[in-house]
Amino acid sequence: MSNFDPVPGYQTYQQSSDPDRSARRQAATRRTALTVCTVADIAAGLLVLWILLFLLDANSANVFVEFVRGTANWLAWWSQDIFTMNTEGLRVVLNYGLPAVMYLLIGHGISARLNRV
């Protein structure tokens, strides 16, 4: 007799009484992974959009540009002024590009880990 054997009559964690339960759990995990990946892509996309709008000298009085700038500032609050350069364009690319890359790496990493389970 092994110490790892369950008591007779009890179900182990690896066994499931419902065969569809595993499929439902796998589908839910994939949906969660897709959601995490999508949120990371949207965050990175907004940051890249702000970089492009800044480099193309978009009208800062425009409501859309103001929204994108505010959202990018909110998403990149932790990386503001990491890089201080004399060139304003390079500073914006680095200070907003770093969080975009981090969101992509972390979001897709979490998504890949969830899909592996």
Side-chain angles (χ1 to χ4, degrees), residues 46-47 49-51 53-54 58-77 80 92 96:
L46 284 167
L47 289 165
L49 181 60
W50 168 243
I51 292 170
L53 289 172
F54 182 84
N59 181 9
S60 60
N62 185 292
V63 174
F64 177 71
V65 175
E66 194 173 305
F67 168 75
V68 173
R69 180 184 55 82
T71 306
N73 283 335
W74 183 76
L75 288 169
W77 64 269
Q80 294 298 317
V92 168
Y96 290 93

Side-chain angles (χ1 to χ4, degrees), residues 35-56:
T35 302
V36 168
C37 194
T38 302
V39 168
D41 289 345
I42 290 171
L46 284 167
L47 289 165
V48 170
L49 181 60
W50 168 243
I51 292 170
L52 289 174
L53 289 172
F54 182 84
L55 293 177
L56 295 173

Side-chain angles (χ1 to χ4, degrees), residues 1 5-12 15 17:
M1 175 166 231
D5 291 336
V7 176
Y10 285 96
Q11 181 177 345
T12 62
Q15 298 172 349
S17 61

Side-chain angles (χ1 to χ4, degrees), residues 5-116:
D5 291 336
V7 176
Y10 285 96
Q11 181 177 345
T12 62
Y13 288 109
Q14 288 80 19
Q15 298 172 349
S16 176
S17 61
D18 185 8
D20 292 332
R21 186 175 187 183
S22 175
R24 284 194 311 255
R25 183 178 298 150
Q26 188 176 23
T29 303
R30 287 195 176 158
R31 281 192 305 270
T32 304
L34 180 63
T35 302
V36 168
C37 194
T38 302
V39 168
D41 289 345
I42 290 171
L46 284 167
L47 289 165
V48 170
L49 181 60
W50 168 243
I51 292 170
L52 289 174
L53 289 172
F54 182 84
L55 293 177
L56 295 173
D57 204 23
N59 181 9
S60 60
N62 185 292
V63 174
F64 177 71
V65 175
E66 194 173 305
F67 168 75
V68 173
R69 180 184 55 82
T71 306
N73 283 335
W74 183 76
L75 288 169
W77 64 269
W78 58 271
S79 71
Q80 294 298 317
D81 297 329
I82 287 179
F83 302 100
T84 55
M85 313 272 182
N86 291 335
T87 309
E88 189 71 17
L90 183 59
R91 186 187 63 79
V92 168
V93 168
L94 292 175
N95 284 326
Y96 290 93
L98 175 66
V101 170
M102 293 303 293
Y103 286 133
L104 286 176
L105 288 175
I106 292 170
H108 285 261
I110 291 171
S111 177
R113 178 71 175 128
L114 286 172
N115 279 329
R116 210 177 305 152

